[in-house]
């Protein structure tokens, strides 16, 4: 007697939409909430309400970057370049914080520091640019993509959306970007040349994302333990966040990130490199971000310290639980991974 088959398609659709929803939420949480600098820290209802703007602004971009990369059969170099392009778009054209060089005298200590790395003639601060664009690449887009794909390893290399879903994501991003632009453009100090320059850089990064050469043939040797990968990347993420905002700090920061990129590229070509290593890179970024929140003074004067630390602890615990779940699912998918 034949065994009746169960429809698998609805389950696959649910898995894909669950992954999309997870990325829509994790991206803004990683970008804005983990570090705990906002005035709404300690007010859960305001944090949830903020996702109504931040999820369309950040999460849709993360979904579109990931979807475009997987649909075209490309890999992490494309994800990183597209993330950099949208980092420039977000900080340079949407909220235009890239060109905001005013010091907030009434803010916390970290917001009142004088800008000592201004680039002559461009009106752009090097340390701030590294923080804004680099922060988008790591915490707004790349790390959330890697973690959510690790939570759904069986569909990680497949498309998650149809044409209608992609259209919805584009529309949501355009609407949220317009709202943010309308709210910030009136106070922006950016000139036409700066905006044109940001647009040109963004277009160049997008073009590079689709012309980047595929990885070379696998190299000899075996990939290191994923624990080592996570430890090395964690040190660099800490340095990225803690180095002083001076020219020396910016130089060390750039050198460290470039060196890490080259090292990860070399390791990724070795035998045994897998999703667990990618999760270690992304997971260490989220853990560092959440851990350093205990050192950050939030904006505003009405954030109770006890509540702040409770929220920081809850965020850190949530990240740890998410990473444990992702590691468990990757282990089931790649039981022989080192």
């Amino acid at each position: 007697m034949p065994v009746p088959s169960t429809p698998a398609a609805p389950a696959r659709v649910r898995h894909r939409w669950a992954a999309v929803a997870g990325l829509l939420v994790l991206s803004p949480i990683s970008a804005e909430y983990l570090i705990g600098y906002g005035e709404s820290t300690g007010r859960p209802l305001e944090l949830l309400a903020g996702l109504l703007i931040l999820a369309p602004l950040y999460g849709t971009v993360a979904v579109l970057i990931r979807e475009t990369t997987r649909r075209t059969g490309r890999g992490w170099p494309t994800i990183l370049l597209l993330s950099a392009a949208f980092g420039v778009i977000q900080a340079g054209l949407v909220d235009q914080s890239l060109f905001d060089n005013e010091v907030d005298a009434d803010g916390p200590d970290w917001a009142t520091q004088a800008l000592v790395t201004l680039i002559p003639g461009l009106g752009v601060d090097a340390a701030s640019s590294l923080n804004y664009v680099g922060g988008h690449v790591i915490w707004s887009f790349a790390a959330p993509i890697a973690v959510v794909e690790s939570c759904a390893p069986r569909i990680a290399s497949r498309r998650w959306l149809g044409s209608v879903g992609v259209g919805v994501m584009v529309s949501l991003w355009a609407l949220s970007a317009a709202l943010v632009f309308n709210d910030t453009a009136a106070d922006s100090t950016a000139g036409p040349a700066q905006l044109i320059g940001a647009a040109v850089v963004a277009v160049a990064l997008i073009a590079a994302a689709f012309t980047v050469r595929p990885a070379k043939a696998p190299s000899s040797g075996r990939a290191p333990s994923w624990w080592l990968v996570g430890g090395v990347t964690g040190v660099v993420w800490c340095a990225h966040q803690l180095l002083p905002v001076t020219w020396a700090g910016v130089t060390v920061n750039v050198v460290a990130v470039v060196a890490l990129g080259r090292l990860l590229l070399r390791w990724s070509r070795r035998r045994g490199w897998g999703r667990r290593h990618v999760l270690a890179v992304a997971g260490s970024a989220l853990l560092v971000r959440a851990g350093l929140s205990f050192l950050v003074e939030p904006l505003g004067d009405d954030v109770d310290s006890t509540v702040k630390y409770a929220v920081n602890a809850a965020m850190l615990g949530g990240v740890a639980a998410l990473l444990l779940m992702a590691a468990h699912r990757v282990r089931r998918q790649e039981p022989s991974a080192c």
Side-chain angles (χ1 to χ4, degrees):
M1 178 178 177
V3 178
S5 60
T6 57
R12 287 198 298 268
V13 171
R14 287 197 300 271
H15 292 162
R16 291 175 182 177
W17 275 107
V20 170
L23 187 50
L24 281 172
V25 173
L26 182 59
S27 174
I29 288 177
S30 174
E32 297 288 346
Y33 289 172
L34 285 188
I35 198 62
Y37 76 93
E39 293 182 65
S40 57
T41 297
R43 298 194 289 271
L45 292 180
E46 289 189 25
L47 292 175
L48 289 174
L51 290 177
L52 296 177
I53 294 295
L54 295 177
L57 186 65
Y58 293 115
T60 55
V61 174
V63 171
L64 290 170
I65 288 173
R66 185 247 162 230
E67 191 71 9
T68 300
T69 302
R70 299 312 179 205
R71 281 169 175 259
T72 56
R74 297 177 182 273
W76 281 101
T78 294
I79 288 177
L80 294 175
L81 286 167
L82 288 177
S83 296
F86 273 94
V88 173
I89 291 172
Q90 301 279 54
L93 300 176
V94 178
D95 62 38
Q96 300 179 18
S97 56
L98 199 62
F99 307 112
D100 182 8
N101 298 320
E102 296 183 0
V103 176
D104 184 5
D106 297 324
D109 291 341
W110 58 267
T112 60
Q113 298 176 358
L115 301 177
V116 298
T117 58
L118 282 172
I119 302 175
L122 295 182
V124 174
D125 181 68
S128 297
S129 301
L130 187 61
N131 181 43
Y132 292 141
V133 179
H136 279 310
V137 172
I138 300 167
W139 286 286
S140 298
F141 307 131
I145 289 171
V147 171
V148 173
E149 284 192 341
S150 296
C151 290
R154 293 186 179 182
I155 59 172
S157 60
R158 303 176 188 174
R159 65 178 64 184
W160 291 350
L161 296 173
S163 56
V164 174
V166 170
V168 169
M169 294 295 130
V170 172
S171 299
L172 286 174
W173 176 79
L175 177 60
S176 62
L179 290 173
V180 172
F181 176 81
N182 288 335
D183 185 53
T184 60
D187 299 324
S188 175
T189 59
Q194 291 174 314
L195 297 177
I196 293 173
V200 169
V201 171
V203 170
L205 288 168
I206 293 172
F210 294 103
T211 56
V212 63
R213 296 180 180 180
K216 298 178 181 178
S219 61
S220 59
R222 187 167 182 80
S225 164
W226 64 274
W227 282 100
L228 176 61
V229 173
V232 170
T233 53
V235 170
V236 176
W237 304 145
C238 281
H240 179 79
Q241 297 280 274
L242 295 177
L243 282 169
V245 287
T246 62
W247 278 114
V250 169
T251 302
V252 173
N253 209 332
V254 171
V255 170
V257 171
V258 171
L260 177 63
R262 292 178 62 87
L263 184 62
L264 291 176
L265 182 62
R266 183 182 306 170
W267 280 346
S268 67
R269 293 172 180 165
R270 292 184 179 180
R271 179 169 47 89
W273 180 272
R275 294 195 186 279
R276 196 175 301 188
H277 294 87
V278 176
L279 177 61
V281 176
S284 64
L286 297 191
L287 287 173
V288 165
R289 185 86 159 173
L292 291 179
S293 67
F294 291 90
L295 306 178
V296 172
E297 179 185 354
L299 293 167
D301 300 324
D302 59 344
V303 180
D304 181 82
S305 59
T306 302
V307 176
K308 165 196 155 43
Y309 291 131
V311 171
N312 295 156
M315 290 286 185
L316 181 58
V319 167
L322 178 64
L323 295 180
L324 286 174
M325 181 183 73
H328 173 69
R329 293 189 175 184
V330 169
R331 189 183 305 114
R332 291 176 58 187
Q333 187 74 7
E334 298 180 347
S336 60
C338 61

